[in-house]
Each structure stands twice: as C-alpha cells, then as structure tokens.
Amino acid sequence: MELLRVESLTKYFGAKKIFGARQGTLKAVDGIDFSIHKDKVMALVGESGCGKSTVARLALNLIKPTSGTVLFRGRNIFGFNRTEMKAFRKSVQIIFQDPFASLNPRRTIYATISEPLVIHNLVPRSSMRDVVVDIFGRVGLAADIMNRYPHEFSGGQRQRICIARALAVSPELIVADEPLSALDVSIQAQILNLLQELKEQTKISFLFISHDLRVVKYFSDAVGVMYLGRIVEYAKTDELFETPLHPYTEILLACVPEIRAGGEGTPQRTALKGEVPSPINIPAGCPFHPRCPKRFEPCDKIIPLLQEQKGRLVSCHLLKQPEQL
C-alpha cells in the first residue's frame, strides 16, 4: 500500500545580496519524484546542502512548495483544510536532527509526551500517566524521569524522548531528518537498533534522511541519491550498494570507510573532487559534470532525465544509447 507519493516537487528560495539587492533563485529542490509504501523505509542520501531537509519539511507541509504535489493516501496535503491537516499531523510525525533543540526546555518530559495525546484527544486524563509510562518503556526509558527537564539528559536519552513523542500518536509514517548525526557513534548504534525494533513491531514506514551510507544500508529498503536538489539515482538498497550506476553514487560509496578482516591491506578510497556548486548558479547540463570523472561531450550541454535504466531510475548520459544523445 502506497502511503506517500511525491510528484514533481520543487522549492525555490529568493536569494538576496547585502543591502537587499536580489541575487538570484536558490533551487533547493528541483523537481523530484518518489514514493513510500507501508512498512518500508525510503532513504534520501547526499552531501550537505543537496536539499534533503527541505524535502522533509515539504513532505510534512511545514513549508509550501514552489510547485508539485505531495500525496498522502492519494490526497494532496497542500490542499488540506484545518481538520484534515490535524489528522495528517497525527499520521505523519518527524524526528529532528538535534534532539535538544527540538525539546522545549521549560516543559517536563511528561508534559512533552502527553501533549500530542491531549491535542488529538487519544487518552482520558485519568489514564494519561499509565499510557506515558508505557510509551517510555517502548523506547527504553524508565518511568521515574517524567518530572525531569531536557537539560538533565544525555544526547541519546533526549533522542529517545523525541522518538517517544513521535510514537505517542501511533503514526503511519515517520520522517527522520538526520536523527543520528548529533550523537556519539556508540549512541548512534543504540538509537538505530531501537528504530529497527520499533519498525518491526509497529510496521511504521520511514522517510529516512542521512549522509551516513552505512546506516542507510542497514536500515532502508530503497534509496534516492540527491545532488543539487535532484534525485540522480533511485533504486532498491541492495541493488544500489552492489552495483551503483551513477558516477556520483559510485564515488559516495567508494568514500565509505572500510574495515578489513585482520587489518590486512589498505582499502583504496576515491576522493570526491571539487566543491558542490552553488544552488543559485547550477551548472548547465548535468549538475554533476564539473566534478564527474566520466563526463563526456553532452554532459555540459544536456540535462539527463531520470529514466529507467537496468531496472532502476538513473539520471546519467553514460547509460543512454547513442541515438538518445
């Protein structure tokens, strides 16, 4: 069952110089398509600044698109009225990157977790405490923390609290925007295992945004690789990691640190050369061509379309037949 479908989604921001003179248009998201099915994890990966977090906010209707649609169960969320949007908020929750910044420092943890239950009128007040204790138990937190404040917890505990808040209303889809990047490596493993257990128990779907490809390989079912606001490759996770087709995907995977058994040999790593171009001045043709080691004549002139290639979607001239160029 398809829960969420993104169609031709675009978000442009007006960029300004000092003194207010308009500099141009920042193309944060530039016409992307993907879908998420029930009990599946769709991951978006790419370098910082490629538009992943903007997609997350668009998918939640936290910001309005320049064009395009986001369909939840077949209905465009940008056309929802107030009642419909409240129901949507219950069905789709978010886990933010920074657990400390996303928690109100003036509210106790009990108030934080119970608030969505009150807003959506899900639990009578007489049973509220027992329900909150049960939610804490699902994310590995003790019941005696309820009257404490966010600053009294470690980063990993705060992220568990954020996960508990998202789970409180029994959502169908969780948007996880870099939920591990602000945590220590040892804590990352604990939170990732927790998300995996919760997914298996509740069949919740995820839009999982990350730059850590090792995490994506472990947790996701499908991957969209983003570059300068566009998806350049979209495939099942196993297929993408086994045989990446887009040069950008190949280099991203080659950059992942590898530990070999017994410590023998030094693995070769391919560096991603150059800087990401400004989203205000995106190069003509393929956006990746200034950094691509495999570029050839049409790459700097023609924008490759995201088309089916070898059973997946890829945006690259290398995979096209000569008559298509």
Side-chain angles (χ1 to χ4, degrees), residues 31-33 231-234 304-308 313-316:
I32 66 170
D33 301 84
I231 290 180
V232 297
E233 185 165 1
Y234 181 72
L305 299 177
L306 187 67
Q307 297 179 334
E308 185 173 350
L313 297 176
V314 187
S315 172
C316 185

Side-chain angles (χ1 to χ4, degrees), residues 3-280:
L3 284 181
L4 193 81
R5 172 172 287 276
V6 170
E7 295 180 344
S8 303
L9 191 61
T10 299
K11 181 62 180 178
Y12 295 165
F13 296 96
K16 295 182 179 179
K17 291 182 180 179
I18 300 176
F19 309 118
R22 184 168 292 278
Q23 183 179 8
T25 300
L26 189 154
K27 298 181 178 181
V29 179
D30 196 13
I32 66 170
D33 301 84
F34 64 84
S35 62
I36 304 173
H37 289 73
K38 188 174 179 60
D39 193 24
K40 297 295 181 183
V41 178
M42 157 70 185
L44 284 179
V45 302
E47 295 172 278
S48 297
C50 70
K52 304 187 299 296
S53 293
T54 303
V55 172
R57 282 153 178 75
L58 288 167
L60 289 156
N61 201 6
L62 297 180
I63 57 176
K64 298 297 182 181
T66 303
S67 63
T69 57
V70 175
L71 304 175
F72 181 72
R73 292 191 174 277
R75 301 185 61 203
N76 185 5
I77 68 171
F78 302 121
F80 283 173
N81 59 34
R82 187 170 182 177
T83 301
E84 292 169 330
M85 184 52 62
K86 184 177 180 180
F88 173 74
R89 296 281 184 236
K90 176 182 178 298
S91 298
V92 183
Q93 290 285 305
I94 186 169
I95 302 170
F96 290 101
Q97 178 176 354
D98 186 346
F100 189 69
S102 61
L103 293 171
N104 189 333
R106 298 186 178 184
R107 296 177 67 88
T108 65
I109 302 307
Y110 175 80
T112 296
I113 304 302
S114 62
E115 183 179 27
L117 298 173
V118 173
I119 290 173
H120 294 283
N121 196 27
L122 297 177
V123 178
R125 292 190 179 273
S126 59
S127 306
M128 186 69 69
R129 185 178 181 85
D130 292 337
V131 172
V132 172
V133 169
D134 179 66
I135 294 171
F136 282 160
R138 293 168 64 188
V139 298
L141 294 172
D144 59 4
I145 68 169
M146 288 195 290
N147 294 322
R148 295 164 62 183
Y149 290 85
H151 71 272
E152 301 179 64
F153 298 92
S154 66
Q157 289 174 317
R158 285 195 289 262
Q159 196 62 293
R160 288 176 184 266
I161 293 167
C162 292
I163 295 170
R165 179 176 59 186
L167 290 173
V169 293
S170 301
E172 297 178 77
L173 173 68
I174 290 179
V175 178
D177 185 9
E178 300 271 12
L180 308 179
S181 62
L183 307 176
D184 293 338
V185 175
S186 59
I187 305 300
Q188 287 182 9
Q190 296 177 19
I191 299 300
L192 183 60
N193 288 334
L194 172 61
L195 292 176
Q196 182 68 38
E197 291 173 6
L198 292 171
K199 177 183 176 296
E200 293 173 355
Q201 293 169 3
T202 61
K203 307 302 180 184
I204 292 176
S205 303
F206 283 84
L207 173 57
F208 189 79
I209 294 170
S210 179
H211 61 270
D212 191 330
L213 293 172
R214 294 168 299 178
V215 171
V216 168
K217 183 178 181 181
Y218 172 78
F219 188 57
S220 69
D221 297 294
V223 181
V225 181
M226 288 192 68
Y227 188 77
L228 281 179
R230 294 172 176 264
I231 290 180
V232 297
E233 185 165 1
Y234 181 72
K236 293 181 180 179
T237 302
D238 293 342
E239 294 177 356
L240 184 130
F241 277 84
E242 183 176 346
T243 54
L245 297 183
H246 196 282
Y248 180 59
T249 310
E250 291 181 5
I251 296 175
L252 283 182
L253 295 180
C255 291
V256 177
E258 180 183 350
I259 300 176
R260 296 189 174 182
E264 296 180 0
T266 301
Q268 294 184 351
R269 295 177 60 188
T270 303
L272 189 55
K273 297 180 180 179
E275 298 293 332
V276 180
S278 168
I280 299 174

